[in-house]
Structures are given as structure tokens and as C-alpha cells.
Amino acid sequence: KSGGDPSASARKKAEIAESRYACIVLVALTSLGGSFSRDVIAAVSPQVRKRFGLSHAQYATVASLQGLPNVVLAFITGAFVDYVGYRKSSLSFTFMVAVGTLLVLISSLSGTVWMLIVGQLTIGIGK
């Protein structure tokens, strides 16, 4: 027989469909996590200003640091995605957001402003 087992073909199609749904959920959660990492600092601004002893202007500067890499890296990012590929670049950007979020967390525990700044910039690079 050249057709093979029809039930095996149906199982294979079901597995592919399930993996597609899993990928969609992962992409959605990654996007949600990146947005959360970017926006959470606004929700805790009084605590951040108190913890680091920042004025309103200094806090606004630190909070806006995530947007700075987007101005500079917008064109470079496109070339990077073309060169490395969509999957590897998505993974590397997600990793950057995770590292930046970890740096912000460590800075909040240690009270170091420079680590908060580096973390915000790293999140901006990854986002």
C-alpha cells in the first residue's frame, strides 16, 4: 500500500495543530510578559521613587529609558532579524527582556540606581 495508515496521518495532523496552538499561546505570553516588564514600573512609581530617592523628573527619566534604544536600534533590529532569522531573534529579544527584568529586580533589592538604569535600557533593547 502506498497510502499508509490513515489513522497515523490523522494523528500527525492533530499533533501539528496542537503544536501550532502551543506556539500561539507562547507568543501571546511572551508579548504579555514583555509589556508587563515595560509597564510595571509606572504602577509602582511611588515605591520606586522612595526606594531610590528619586525626584519626579529623575523617575521620569529612568522610566523613559526603555524607549531610548528603540530610537537608535529601529533600523538595526530589522537587519538583525533578516540576518539571524525570526526564531533566533525572537528568542534573543525575549532573553534581553528577561535579563533586563532580572536586573531591575536585583536593583530594587540592592537599591542601586545604576542597575535600575541598565535594566531599563536592556528591557528597551529587547522590546
Side-chain angles (χ1 to χ4, degrees):
K1 274 184 159 173
S2 63
D5 184 14
S7 63
S9 176
R11 281 194 304 268
K12 182 73 171 170
K13 286 181 182 179
E15 288 174 6
I16 291 172
E18 288 175 11
S19 66
R20 285 183 183 167
Y21 291 126
C23 286
I24 289 171
V25 169
L26 270 172
V27 167
L29 289 176
T30 301
S31 179
L32 176 69
S35 296
F36 178 79
S37 293
R38 184 188 68 227
D39 297 336
V40 73
I41 196 165
V44 294
S45 66
Q47 293 87 352
V48 170
R49 285 186 316 170
K50 183 178 178 183
R51 172 75 172 143
F52 295 102
L54 300 174
S55 68
H56 287 283
Q58 290 170 325
Y59 166 77
T61 301
V62 169
S64 66
L65 285 175
Q66 290 183 3
L68 187 62
N70 293 325
V71 174
V72 178
L73 298 176
F75 301 107
I76 298 170
T77 302
F80 178 75
V81 171
D82 288 341
Y83 180 74
V84 174
Y86 180 76
R87 290 180 185 171
K88 288 181 182 178
S89 62
S90 294
L91 185 62
S92 64
F93 294 141
T94 302
F95 180 74
M96 293 293 288
V97 170
V99 167
T101 304
L102 185 63
L103 288 173
V104 170
L105 170 70
I106 293 169
S107 73
S108 68
L109 296 174
S110 65
T112 53
V113 177
W114 69 268
M115 193 177 293
L116 175 66
I117 291 169
V118 171
Q120 288 290 97
L121 285 171
T122 306
I123 292 171
I125 292 169
K127 195 65 180 156

